[in-house]
């Protein structure tokens, strides 16, 4: 019996050896089913060792071989093994997470043929005789099928399954058995023009320069497309993509979750006459598998997706684009915590293809990479088309009468814009009615015991919700401390803002966009459509409304309250606020009308706000980089965050102390200099969902040394794997909370 080494999706940084029963062909990267304890698991073959550390009689046999081929092409295998190494994550977990869920569960990689239909003789006769079906949808589908010379794939998108079924039962259409041979899109290339030319815009001078620079580039290159909001970055992407498609190559576009608005996809679909697949959160597992297979087989030309779409395999990838490259959603925050942007750059390098990182507010990491020559910066400093930059203004809230968070001046300005028939957008990054419910007599605050943070009051549903652990409770009638019934809310959330504004502006309709108002599937799309159609005039939203949307009739944008981010302990808070401000401000004046941006604050003299308003993001970023360098913070240093989470506070604290001692010992033994060990401390979010959180931040200016430390630590890691305390090791952490 042959030995097979497997990666299994278990949180142990080790591999497992099994026996292969007969001499059946099996290759690296194939899936196998194996007994594991009392369960069965699906593992991936990573090698064929000569010997095992485990005595042969203790080894178990593989129960089933699921694939004849390696599921990973060479490039993806290389990327994932590199990533497992760099993020010190178990290879099994990394390999498995790069597969669609259906494959993890053992589904076949054979493409399911789509059902093909044709109109029957009966159907043709009926149509010829001028018959009309009462059911309009059925009639439309029948007509559509009759017009086609070829078979028609059953697509669930435009006609519901019930419509197909009804026509079938009436005998007007029938399914056709036809062998399914997916055709790589490149082979269809000659048959049609790729771009819909009349939709192509005439580039302005800046755009032309950038596009020709990119189109003449060959091989690897990382390009930071630093373009102000509305400068026409998307048009640049589209025209560069067109050239890549003409060569028969495929394109991967990564976007932040919220950027995946129907708008973005529609723009691509309107431009290109090729197969475009979107990987978004509303797909079910079968659709995901299908998309994955289509890309791998080369059937689709463009894949647009969020973070995990990075692991899509392609037949011939020619270009990667990361839109809004600064966005935090590209960093995975649980499991193995990769950064999709960083891995995408590596992937482009391995494939010797260009990658474009686009943003109006590039991350300091990427700007640093421009400074040190790793990235090439391409700038678009002017707005494309007719829109102009907006006027910006600070409103000092100090000593002002405030209604639901709004100053009288802002309300007056809203009135003016609304009366002119324009739309107004208010940004407030706090959902619910009010963030705090407290006792007016003794000051008691109603808080979530599991997180030790105040509950948010949701008036519409009359509940208190914890935004940290999602627990909820009924609103108490009495103070939990003194028994008083005089409970009041403080602070303002989007729900309260909506209510106050509907009283103040009864003649205008309001759209609120936050996680509560868009929880229902399709609600976000519907809301956005209403705004586009001008059905609502006042838009209220959290972060969700800040990014990517193009609302030409919005002329006034207001940031209601961002003061709390001015005094955060997180060294990235200022960068994030600056990005948020620019993104939100960028929603104003996207059409032909002049826009206005208003920021309300109690701290109009805060240096960050001043520099942002007077000098812009670029100047802010340069200053911020200098400061980071001075303080020895990323991107001038690398960090690793160790975090322990458990129910017993003292035990978690002790756990982290032991871990710190272990690291210190390794450092001393190796004689390494320059390590900074910050902690162990309580995490800023010290308790969450009933679990106490402690952390240690380790920092060094030399990334390689930090990696060496982690490799040494891996040898000791087993002693830190407990049932009652969960350890996470976050490399290049973004979230220090
Ligand atoms: P960004 O992605 O940089 O924010 P977009 O690509 O969304 O900008 O472009 C902003 C607006 O400018 C869009 O309405 C787009 O149609 C328009 N636009 C872009 N390029 C041109 C151009 N060359 N000529 C005219 N309009 C343009
Ligand atoms: Zn009280
Ligand atoms: Zn909670």
């Amino acid at each position: 019996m042959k030995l097979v080494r497997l990666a299994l999706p278990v949180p142990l940084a080790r591999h497992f050896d099994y026996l292969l029963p007969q001499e059946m062909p099996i290759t690296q990267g194939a899936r196998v089913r194996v007994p594991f304890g009392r369960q069965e698991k699906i593992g991936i073959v990573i090698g064929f060792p000569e010997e095992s550390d485990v005595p042969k009689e203790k080894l178990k046999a593989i129960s089933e071989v699921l694939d004849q081929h390696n599921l990973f092409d060479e490039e993806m295998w290389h990327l994932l093994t590199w990533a497992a190494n760099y993020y010190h994550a178990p290879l099994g977990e990394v390999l498995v997470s790069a597969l669609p869920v259906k494959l993890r569960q053992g589904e076949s990689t054979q493409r399911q043929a789509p059902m093909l239909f044709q109109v029957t003789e009966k159907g043709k006769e009926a149509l010829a005789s001028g018959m009309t079906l009462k059911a309009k949808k059925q009639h439309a589908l029948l007509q559509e099928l009759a017009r086609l010379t070829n078979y028609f794939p059953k697509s669930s998108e435009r006609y519901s399954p019930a419509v197909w079924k009804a026509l079938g039962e009436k005998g007007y259409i029938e399914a056709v058995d036809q062998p399914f041979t997916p055709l790589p899109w490149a082979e269809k290339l000659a048959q049609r023009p790729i771009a819909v030319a009349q939709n192509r815009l005439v580039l302005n001078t800046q755009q032309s320069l950038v596009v020709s620079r990119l189109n003449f580039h060959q091989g690897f290159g990382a390009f930071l497309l630093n373009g102000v909001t509305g400068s026409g970055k998307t048009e640049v992407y589209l025209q560069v993509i067109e050239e890549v498609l003409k060569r028969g190559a495929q394109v991967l576009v990564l976007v932040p979750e919220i950027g995946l608005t129907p708008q973005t996809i529609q723009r691509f679909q309107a431009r290109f006459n090729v197969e475009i697949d979107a990987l978004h959160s509303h797909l079910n597992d079968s659709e995901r598998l299908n998309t994955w297979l289509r890309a791998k087989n080369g059937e689709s030309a463009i894949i647009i997706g969020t973070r995990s779409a990075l692991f899509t395999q392609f037949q011939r990838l020619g270009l990667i684009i990361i839109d809004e490259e600064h966005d935090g959603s590209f960093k995975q925050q649980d499991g193995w915590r990769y950064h999709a942007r960083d891995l995408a750059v590596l992937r482009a390098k391995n494939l010797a293809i260009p990658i474009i990182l686009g943003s109006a507010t590039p991350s300091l990491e990427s700007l640093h990479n421009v400074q040190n020559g790793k990235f090439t910066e391409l700038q678009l400093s002017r707005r494309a088309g007719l829109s102009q930059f907006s006027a910006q203004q600070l409103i000092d809230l100090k000593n002002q009468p405030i209604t639901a968070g709004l100053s009288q001046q802002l309300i007056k300005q809203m009135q003016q814009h609304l009366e002119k028939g324009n739309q107004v957008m208010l940004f407030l990054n706090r959902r619910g009615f009010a963030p705090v419910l407290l006792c007016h007599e003794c000051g008691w605050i109603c808080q979530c015991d599991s997180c030790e943070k105040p509950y948010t009051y949701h008036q519409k549903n009359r509940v208190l919700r914890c935004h940290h652990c999602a627990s909820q409770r009924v609103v108490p009638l009495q103070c939990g401390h003194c028994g008083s019934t005089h409970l009041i809310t403080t602070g303002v959330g989007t729900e309260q803002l909506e209510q106050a504004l509907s009283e103040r502006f009864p003649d205008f309709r309001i759209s609120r966009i936050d996680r509560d108002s868009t929880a229902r599937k399709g609600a976000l799309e519907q809301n956005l459509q209403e705004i586009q159609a001008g059905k609502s005039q006042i838009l209220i939203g959290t972060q969700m409304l800040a990014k990517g949307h193009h609302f030409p009739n919005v002329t006034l944008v207001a940031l209601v309250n961002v003061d709390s981010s001015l005094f955060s302990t997180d060294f990235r808070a200022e960068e994030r606020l600056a990005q948020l401000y620019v993104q939100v401000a960028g929603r104003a004046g996207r059409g032909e009308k002049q826009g206005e941006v208003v920021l309300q604050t109690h701290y109009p003299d805060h240096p960050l706000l001043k520099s942002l308003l007077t000098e812009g993001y670029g100047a802010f970023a340069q200053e911020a980089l200098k400061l980071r360098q001075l303080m020895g913070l990323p991107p001038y240093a690398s960090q690793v965050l160790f975090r322990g989470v458990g129910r017993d506070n003292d035990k978690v604290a002790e756990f982290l102390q032991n871990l710190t001692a272990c690291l210190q010992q390794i450092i001393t033994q190796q004689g390494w200099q320059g390590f900074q060990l910050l902690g162990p401390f309580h995490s800023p979010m010290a308790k969450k969902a009933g679990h106490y959180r402690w952390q240690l931040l380790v920092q060094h200016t030399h990334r390689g040394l930090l990696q060496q430390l982690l490799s040494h630590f891996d040898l000791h890691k087993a002693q830190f794997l407990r049932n009652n305390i969960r350890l996470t090791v976050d490399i290049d952490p973004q979230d220090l909370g």
Side-chain angles (χ1 to χ4, degrees), residues 464-727:
L464 295 177
R465 287 206 184 108
C466 174
H467 287 188
H468 303 284
C469 73
S471 71
Q472 64 176 48
R473 57 163 288 179
V474 294
V475 184
L477 299 172
Q478 283 185 311
C479 168
H481 178 69
C482 73
S484 158
T485 53
H486 199 169
L487 300 180
I488 56 166
T489 62
T490 69
V492 178
T494 48
E495 208 184 295
Q496 187 174 160
L497 197 55
E498 179 180 14
Q499 192 189 67
L501 286 173
S502 65
E503 284 161 19
R504 180 63 186 72
F505 296 106
D507 299 334
F508 297 98
R509 248 183 77 178
I510 302 177
S511 283
R512 171 162 67 90
I513 293 200
D514 56 30
R515 261 209 283 151
D516 299 318
S517 71
T518 58
R520 189 171 46 79
K521 186 172 168 172
L524 175 63
E525 288 76 6
Q526 192 188 334
N527 254 310
L528 292 174
Q529 259 163 25
E530 283 187 17
I531 298 172
Q532 291 293 351
K535 286 188 192 148
S536 51
Q537 295 77 39
I538 302 176
L539 331 176
I540 298 174
T542 55
Q543 204 107 345
M544 293 183 85
L545 197 56
K547 292 180 236 166
H549 305 292
H550 184 67
F551 304 127
N553 273 322
V554 170
T555 52
L556 173 66
V557 165
L559 290 91
V560 176
N561 184 356
V562 293
D563 283 353
S564 60
S565 342
L566 290 173
F567 304 100
S568 169
T569 52
D570 186 337
F571 72 90
R572 281 199 179 83
E574 291 210 336
E575 178 186 355
R576 291 202 188 110
L577 176 57
Q579 288 163 343
L580 181 74
Y581 173 76
V582 175
Q583 298 290 342
V584 173
R587 301 308 114 209
R590 303 269 297 187
E592 295 169 25
K593 301 170 189 162
Q594 168 78 33
E596 233 184 312
V597 180
V598 171
L599 179 98
Q600 298 193 119
T601 179
H602 281 95
Y603 308 94
D605 295 324
H606 193 286
L608 167 65
L609 298 180
K610 280 190 132 167
S611 100
L612 265 181
L613 262 74
T614 53
E615 294 165 278
Y617 184 82
F620 154 78
Q622 293 312 321
E623 273 311 304
L625 272 173
K626 277 188 206 147
L627 213 62
R628 295 266 185 99
Q629 186 165 26
L630 210 66
M631 294 165 61
L633 288 167
Y636 298 92
S638 295
Q639 295 181 327
V640 179
L641 184 77
F642 295 85
R643 182 179 283 145
V645 177
R647 286 201 174 271
D648 185 327
N649 187 41
D650 294 342
K651 289 219 172 94
V652 181
E654 193 192 315
F655 174 85
L656 257 118
Q657 274 151 14
N658 292 340
L659 191 147
T660 309
C662 171
L663 292 174
Q664 230 138 21
Q665 201 184 4
I666 297 171
I667 293 167
T668 318
Q669 272 169 2
Q670 299 295 321
W672 286 328
Q673 302 291 324
F675 274 99
Q676 280 176 285
L677 272 61
L678 309 167
F681 300 128
H682 255 309
S683 303
M685 184 82 199
K687 192 181 176 192
K688 192 172 176 179
H691 289 74
Y692 292 91
R693 296 148 55 89
W694 284 78
Q695 63 193 38
L696 169 75
L697 188 64
V698 182
Q699 189 173 303
H700 201 285
T701 49
H702 195 306
R703 186 182 296 270
L705 264 188
L706 208 52
Q707 282 288 327
Q708 283 190 42
L709 174 64
L710 286 166
S711 300
H712 278 270
F713 175 71
D714 282 341
L715 304 175
H716 299 270
K717 203 170 174 184
Q719 76 187 82
F720 294 103
L721 295 174
R722 312 254 174 94
N723 286 334
N724 52 357
I725 297 174
R726 194 161 54 89
L727 169 68

Side-chain angles (χ1 to χ4, degrees), residues 86-214:
Y86 180 78
Y87 289 103
H88 294 260
L91 182 60
E93 193 184 333
V94 172
L95 291 172
V96 166
S97 71
L99 295 175
V101 170
K102 284 273 178 190
L103 291 187
R104 295 178 211 172
Q105 294 166 346
E107 181 109 349
S108 150
T109 54
Q110 287 304 311
R111 284 268 274 116
Q112 299 274 322
M115 286 244 264
L116 300 177
F117 281 82
Q118 66 181 5
V119 179
T120 58
E121 284 310 314
K122 183 179 170 197
K124 283 179 194 157
E125 278 164 23
L127 277 177
S129 73
M131 173 260 344
T132 23
L133 286 166
K134 269 197 225 101
K136 279 205 188 102
K137 278 270 179 188
Q138 289 178 28
H139 195 75
L141 175 56
L142 186 59
Q143 278 185 320
E144 195 168 327
L145 287 183
R147 272 200 301 273
L148 290 166
T149 44
N150 220 325
Y151 301 123
F152 194 85
K154 179 170 170 180
S155 107
S156 59
E157 273 166 36
R158 281 183 304 145
Y159 299 100
S160 72
V163 177
W164 291 89
K165 191 161 167 237
L167 280 182
E169 280 167 0
K170 288 178 185 150
Y172 292 138
I173 62 171
E174 65 192 357
V176 200
D177 275 331
Q178 203 196 262
F180 172 61
T181 41
L183 197 60
W185 91 268
E187 284 176 31
K188 303 183 201 161
L189 196 60
Q191 300 167 10
R192 57 186 164 188
I194 288 177
V196 180
Q198 65 269 28
N199 292 349
R200 204 191 281 127
L201 297 172
V202 179
L203 298 177
N204 63 34
T205 319
Q206 282 193 327
Q207 285 172 317
S208 302
L209 283 172
V210 169
V211 168
S212 50
R213 175 82 176 75
L214 289 164

